[in-house]
Amino acid sequence: MIATVPFADALGVLRAAAEETRLRILVLLGEGELSVSDLTDILGQSQPRISRHLKLLVEAGLVVRHREGAWAFFRLREGTAGLVAPLIAALDAAEPPLSEDRARLQAVRAQRAEAAQNFFARLAPQWDRVRSLHVPEATVEAAVLESLGTGPIGSLVDLGTGTGRMLGLLAPRAARATGLDANHAMLSVARANLERQGLTRIDLRQGDIHAPPFGRASFDLVLIHQVLHYLDDPARALREAARLVAPGGRLLVVDFAPHSLEFLREDEAHRRLGFAPEQVAGWLFEAGLTDVRLRHLAPTGGAEHQLTVTLWLAHHPEAAAGLPDRAVA
């Protein structure tokens, strides 16, 4: 059954979409949320002009604006998908200008991915030291172990494994351990670190966290540790991670709480300045997981450049039988 839309609302939506640049923006946002800077690069138009079009789309209820520090991100509003989605789907994306927009979108994403990978490659030997500048890693590791309990883990995958630090912590308790990272230099560092710990039977793979090369329900524990803030589309990464969780399994996310340290964007290639507890919990619920438990690790001593770390532990619905839905502690 097709949902009905009030006439006045439909007229406003169609008026807002009936302009070339705005229609192109809607198509691009159908691929995922983007910043004003992303859209100016893709569409080759000035920032004031793009901002005016976005303002009209927001006012028409087609687009949602999310501010994060000095940046603003935009995405399609879910409530208007009944009108916008069929319109986008009916367009021929293989013809200009949409084909050219999509190519530039892929180029923008590739440039960002390359910048992040170059950063990792440059700092790979010192990455554990860089992390220590934030919330102490020993405190985070203790919280991870406490959250997971003392029982055996079964099969484990660490998405965005970096230097392999989490694998070194958890792999001894796992029957099977896998690490995935997009950067070859990072995997080389992880391999050396794990071999130094005597952990030589860990499967390290190069791949994209947005499209992990594993089958559905492949792992009892899926871990994403300090990775989401580098991603263009963290919600998509969590959906893919949730797909990997086996019945009775768990997904553990560790990342920063919201903060205002803008220098991390330029100096350390952070795409996001942390995440609100309800934002990640909402993505996990939408991905089909339940019983999300939270824990916050706040910095001590009032150090200016320390960051609060949040842990989100979600369960496969089968494991959460009898527990209240959408419980966020």
Side-chain angles (χ1 to χ4, degrees):
M1 181 177 178
I2 299 176
T4 59
V5 179
F7 180 82
D9 292 349
L11 189 60
V13 166
L14 294 173
R15 282 174 173 165
E19 193 278 336
E20 179 181 345
T21 298
R22 291 197 291 275
L23 185 56
R24 291 166 68 186
I25 289 174
L26 290 173
V27 173
L28 288 166
L29 294 182
E31 299 280 340
E33 67 179 20
L34 295 167
S35 69
V36 176
S37 176
D38 293 332
L39 290 167
T40 58
D41 289 344
I42 294 166
L43 297 174
Q45 299 182 23
S46 68
Q47 182 171 331
R49 183 173 181 182
I50 294 296
S51 296
R52 284 197 300 272
H53 286 303
L54 287 168
K55 182 174 183 292
L56 290 171
L57 292 172
V58 169
E59 290 174 349
L62 287 171
V63 169
V64 175
R65 180 178 182 269
H66 167 63
R67 175 160 287 282
E68 189 178 285
W71 287 37
F73 292 86
F74 296 83
R75 60 178 173 81
L76 293 181
R77 182 184 292 275
E78 294 179 6
T80 58
L83 279 174
V84 177
L87 174 63
I88 294 175
L91 297 171
D92 187 353
E95 291 188 357
L98 300 184
S99 60
E100 297 165 347
D101 290 346
R102 177 167 292 191
R104 285 190 288 267
L105 170 63
Q106 296 306 318
V108 165
R109 287 180 168 172
Q111 288 171 2
R112 296 195 185 283
E114 182 180 3
Q117 289 191 29
N118 287 340
F119 168 76
F120 281 129
R122 186 174 66 254
L123 292 185
Q126 303 98 10
W127 184 237
D128 285 334
R129 179 181 60 80
V130 172
R131 281 181 171 169
S132 73
L133 298 176
H134 309 303
V135 174
E137 205 62 36
T139 302
V140 177
E141 291 173 1
V144 167
L145 292 174
E146 185 176 343
S147 297
L148 295 176
T150 58
I153 290 175
S155 54
L156 157 72
V157 64
D158 183 18
L159 300 177
T161 192
T163 62
R165 184 160 188 151
M166 287 292 106
L167 286 174
L169 180 71
L170 299 173
R173 293 171 49 193
R176 175 169 60 96
T178 302
L180 181 77
D181 204 282
N183 187 270
H184 175 71
M186 273 296 182
L187 290 174
S188 297
V189 173
R191 186 170 289 107
N193 288 341
L194 295 169
E195 288 177 351
R196 195 157 38 244
Q197 293 179 248
L199 301 170
T200 59
R201 301 185 64 182
I202 296 176
D203 183 17
L204 295 176
R205 300 194 195 182
Q206 187 170 14
D208 183 1
I209 194 173
H210 293 106
F214 310 114
R216 180 178 296 275
S218 298
F219 299 96
D220 298 305
L221 174 63
V222 179
L223 176 66
I224 304 179
H225 176 262
Q226 299 290 20
V227 175
L228 288 187
H229 57 258
Y230 291 106
L231 304 181
D232 276 328
D233 197 347
R236 178 184 168 194
L238 288 182
R239 288 195 300 270
E240 288 297 318
R243 180 183 64 84
L244 304 180
V245 180
R250 296 171 289 177
L251 170 58
L252 177 63
V253 179
V254 182
D255 217 291
F256 296 128
H259 62 86
S260 59
L261 302 183
E262 287 283 348
F263 73 90
L264 291 178
R265 291 196 199 272
E266 295 297 327
D267 294 354
E268 298 194 19
H270 287 205
R271 181 73 167 142
R272 302 299 188 94
L273 298 183
F275 300 91
E278 63 275 10
Q279 183 178 39
V280 173
W283 287 336
L284 293 170
F285 289 129
E286 290 170 3
L289 302 180
T290 59
D291 184 37
V292 180
R293 308 291 176 88
L294 277 81
R295 181 170 180 178
H296 302 289
L297 305 174
T300 58
E304 182 181 358
H305 295 313
Q306 282 194 324
L307 306 170
T308 294
V309 169
T310 301
L311 286 74
W312 293 263
L313 180 64
H315 297 75
H316 188 280
E318 185 171 301
L323 293 170
D325 252 355
R326 301 184 67 86
V328 180

